[in-house]
């Protein structure tokens, strides 16, 4: 037996975001997303979200909404879902439900049609993704055994380590048991991952009985008071009886508190059957979808939930240990439909802008006094936020589709270029909010100092002026403290927001009327709050 050594168990951004997306949004040509968008769910289903948004837009453009227009719209949505690998039956049920919910008389009476149907689609997608009961949640300092199951190559072993690492960072004492005796190299892989993350592990090169290893490992770590014992199991290339029998035996012997089914997001229509087959052998209680960073259409996630009646709890968004995200249904669906996620966005600001800079920044934001230094600091913050598209997609009205592949990288490179030029500025230049200070000779000096063209310095100044203009519109805006979503909605009125939002975004929301009703709903309806990330936390 081989045991791992027990080591020490181991705004402004808002407006800059708006600016940056605008040129890309205008183009809106390439909905495909690539590796650079690795992070996350909101990117993965961008195409689906885009198709649904388009269907809704087309419908709301129609002068009269009759049964035919509604049917056409629902057919487009259905097609988009099927193309994204959502199971046929789920899609058909969803269509029927929406038809039952949406009242044509309401639509005819001039209510905001797009929002009514969007809300119905939103609710239906949430219903599919939310099985109604949360999965077992392990408790810190109380031993839990969690068993991972899934086909070979689904990302199971990687995900076990990510799951352990995620909890370890939160102060848990996790441990990994390798009960995969089928794939040569599985133990080495787990050992390597575990060592890197300083997580104790248990496994064997010699023993061929997975049940024996699993039991020994679990016992060992129980004695060592580990609070999260994770059992990695074998996989097979395809669903076969021997695998399911083995899963059943390991489960019976280790009595896991939770069985997590790991599924590769790219398996498409096979998702439903595969998930169901595992559920029939062991008591699957939660699902983790991996490789959401790839080109998967992602609809399989919906099918897996439906098949196992278990929630998706995390998603894998890359090969690295920390490319792992908690999965939340409502923000996921709202971003999918291009509805944005305000609380996520605000939380991101609070997460990224250092605490000591926050009051000052918010003060400046409300004063509308925008200097090049502020721009520099905010560029730093934006770069820290990760892919810019991730921030954009949190804005209401923006679907990730508006941030096509390639533009993001370009935007990041541009920001870095601007920062290099600003490094060659004097304090006086950085702290002035008067663009006239930047005369020709200063620009030439900056270009020389940073090894860039004068033309590029001029371009940066144009960008600065545009940003400063948006900032001036943010004057007086009160930004809520972390998690204070309802305060945000109270403090921002539609008038204010309509000035700040780029025109095409405003159009997407449904013009001033759409924005007003959106903000009203944000302030009152609890459900809508959920739509934007769950409301106050
Ligand atoms: N891009 C990406 N790759 C992933 C992700 N999760 C896992 N992988 C990769 O997928 C491949 C298979 O992952 P493993 O963890 O070995 O798969 P497994 O399901 O444990 O395979 P078996 O042990 O044979 O059952 C590896 O190359 C991983 O790095 C993810 O979220 N994104």
């Amino acid at each position: 037996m081989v045991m791992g050594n027990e080591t020490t168990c181991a705004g402004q951004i808002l407006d800059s975001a708006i600016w940056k997306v605008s040129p890309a949004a205008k183009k809106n040509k390439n909905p495909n997303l690539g590796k650079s968008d690795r992070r996350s769910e909101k990117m993965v289903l961008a195409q689906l979200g885009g198709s649904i948004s388009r269907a809704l837009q087309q419908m709301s453009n129609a002068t009269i909404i009759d049964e035919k227009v509604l049917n056409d719209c629902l057919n487009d949505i259905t097609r988009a879902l099927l193309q994204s690998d959502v199971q046929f039956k789920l899609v058909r049920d969803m269509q029927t439900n929406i038809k039952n919910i949406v009242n044509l008389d309401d639509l005819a009476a001039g209510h905001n049609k797009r929002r009514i149907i969007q809300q119905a689609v939103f609710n239906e997608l949430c219903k599919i993704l939310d099985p109604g009961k949360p999965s077992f949640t392990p408790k810190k300092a109380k031993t839990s055994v969690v068993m991972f199951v899934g086909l070979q190559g689904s990302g199971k072993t990687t995900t076990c380590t990510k799951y352990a690492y995620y909890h370890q960072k939160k102060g848990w004492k996790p441990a990994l048991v390798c009960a995969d005796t089928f794939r040569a190299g599985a133990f080495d892989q787990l050992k390597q991952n575990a060592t890197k993350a300083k997580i104790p592990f248990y496994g064997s090169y010699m023993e061929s009985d997975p049940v024996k290893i699993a039991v020994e490992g679990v016992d060992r770590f129980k004695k060592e008071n580990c609070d999260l014992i994770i059992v990695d199991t074998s996989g097979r290339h395809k669903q076969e009886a021997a695998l399911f029998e083995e899963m059943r035996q390991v489960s019976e012997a280790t009595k896991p508190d939770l069985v997590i089914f790991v599924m590769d997001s790219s398996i498409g229509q096979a998702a439903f059957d595969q998930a169901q087959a595992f559920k029939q052998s062991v008591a699957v209680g939660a699902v983790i979808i991996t490789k959401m960073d790839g080109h998967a259409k992602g609809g399989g996630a919906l099918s897996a939930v439906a098949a196992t009646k278990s929630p998706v709890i995390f998603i894998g968004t890359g090969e690295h240990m920390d490319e792992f995200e908690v999965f939340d249904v409502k923000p996921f669906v709202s971003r999918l439909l291009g509805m944005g996620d305000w609380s996520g966005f605000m939380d991101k600001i609070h997460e990224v802008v250092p605490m000591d800079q926050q009051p000052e920044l918010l003060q400046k934001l409300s004063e509308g006094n925008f200097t090049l230094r502020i721009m520099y600091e905010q560029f730093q913050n934006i770069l820290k936020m990760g892919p810019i598209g991730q921030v954009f997609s949190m804005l209401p009205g923006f679907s990730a589709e508006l941030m096509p592949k390639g533009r993001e990288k370009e935007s990041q490179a541009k920001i870095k270029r601007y920062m290099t030029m600003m490094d060659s500025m004097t304090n006086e230049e950085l702290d002035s909010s008067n663009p006239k200070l930047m005369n020709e000779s200063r620009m030439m000096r900056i270009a020389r100092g940073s090894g860039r063209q004068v033309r590029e310095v001029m371009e940066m100044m144009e960008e600065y002026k545009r940003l400063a203009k948006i900032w001036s519109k943010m004057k007086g805006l009160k930004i809520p403290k972390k998690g204070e979503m309802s305060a945000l909605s109270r403090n921002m009125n539609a008038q204010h927001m309509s000035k700040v939002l780029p025109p095409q975004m405003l159009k997407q929301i449904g013009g001033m009327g759409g924005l007003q009703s959106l903000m009203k709903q944000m302030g009152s309806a609890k459900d809508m709050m959920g739509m934007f990330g769950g409301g106050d936390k």
Side-chain angles (χ1 to χ4, degrees), residues 235 321 382 400 410:
M321 203 93 76
I382 285 175
E410 216 174 275

Side-chain angles (χ1 to χ4, degrees), residues 35 150-159 162 180 183 186 189 232-235 290-293 316-319 323:
K35 272 250 165 188
L151 285 193
Q152 190 163 326
S154 58
K156 197 166 13 80
T157 304
T158 310
T159 306
K162 285 179 174 179
D180 180 355
R183 178 168 68 90
Q189 186 191 352
D232 186 15
T233 60
S234 307
T290 63
K291 308 181 194 178
M292 290 292 266
D293 48 314
T317 54
E319 297 193 37
E323 290 175 317

Side-chain angles (χ1 to χ4, degrees), residues 32-80:
N32 298 319
L33 294 155
K35 272 250 165 188
S36 62
D37 307 311
R38 62 183 170 76
R39 254 177 223 266
S40 86
E41 80 249 40
K42 46 226 175 232
M43 302 288 156
V44 172
L45 296 181
Q47 227 167 325
L48 172 60
S51 309
I52 295 179
S53 300
R54 266 193 305 278
L56 292 168
Q57 189 60 53
Q58 262 165 25
M59 188 212 55
S60 48
N61 287 344
T63 8
I64 299 166
I65 304 283
D66 54 15
E67 192 140 4
K68 183 182 175 307
V69 176
L70 177 63
N71 279 342
D72 286 350
C73 171
L74 290 181
N75 284 340
D76 285 345
I77 293 174
T78 301
R79 209 168 301 123

Side-chain angles (χ1 to χ4, degrees), residues 371-475:
T371 61
L372 279 154
R373 193 185 297 282
I374 298 178
M375 179 160 97
Y376 187 90
E377 283 165 3
Q378 296 334 307
F379 282 167
Q380 273 179 325
N381 289 331
I382 285 175
L383 291 179
K384 265 189 265 167
M385 275 195 218
I388 295 175
Q390 192 192 353
V391 182
F392 292 146
S393 67
M394 287 180 185
L395 290 167
F398 269 95
S399 74
E401 193 189 359
L402 292 175
M403 199 62 200
K405 184 185 173 190
R407 296 298 294 201
E408 228 184 71
K409 265 193 188 153
E410 216 174 275
S411 301
Q412 299 227 15
K414 202 176 193 181
I415 286 183
K416 285 186 188 150
R417 214 165 46 237
Y418 288 169
M419 288 172 78
T420 315
M421 293 189 261
M422 282 190 267
D423 283 335
S424 289
M425 288 183 178
T426 62
N427 281 339
E428 186 198 3
E429 287 159 355
L430 285 172
D431 291 324
S432 161
S433 55
N434 176 15
K436 290 201 179 107
L437 180 77
M438 291 301 248
N439 56 28
E440 215 178 299
S441 75
R442 282 181 192 259
M443 285 207 236
M444 277 165 70
R445 193 206 76 238
I446 293 164
R448 261 198 320 274
S450 57
R452 316 292 323 183
Q453 309 276 336
V454 178
R455 166 180 61 74
E456 290 176 297
V457 181
M458 286 166 74
E459 182 198 301
M460 180 192 66
M461 287 309 295
E462 282 310 306
E463 192 82 24
Y464 163 71
K465 279 188 225 160
R466 205 159 61 229
L467 265 171
K469 204 167 152 202
I470 298 178
W471 267 69
S472 70
K473 288 174 187 164
M474 299 293 280
K475 206 169 170 175

Side-chain angles (χ1 to χ4, degrees), residues 353-378:
V353 180
M355 275 300 276
D356 57 337
Q357 280 184 24
Q358 283 181 19
E360 198 193 342
L361 174 68
L362 298 182
Q363 181 62 30
K364 284 175 189 162
L365 184 68
S366 63
E367 285 167 6
N369 185 19
F370 192 70
T371 61
L372 279 154
R373 193 185 297 282
I374 298 178
M375 179 160 97
Y376 187 90
E377 283 165 3
Q378 296 334 307

Side-chain angles (χ1 to χ4, degrees), residues 221-259:
F221 290 127
K222 273 186 180 167
K223 280 193 199 109
E224 292 182 4
N225 291 326
C226 290
D227 50 9
L228 191 61
I229 305 172
I230 299 160
V231 182
D232 186 15
T233 60
S234 307
R236 298 286 192 280
H237 287 305
K238 54 183 173 45
Q239 293 150 229
E240 49 187 64
L243 170 67
F244 294 127
E245 179 53 24
E246 186 178 317
M247 295 304 101
R248 211 187 45 72
Q249 287 179 14
V250 173
S251 167
E252 211 172 87
T254 56
K255 307 225 164 0
D257 299 284
L258 175 66
V259 178

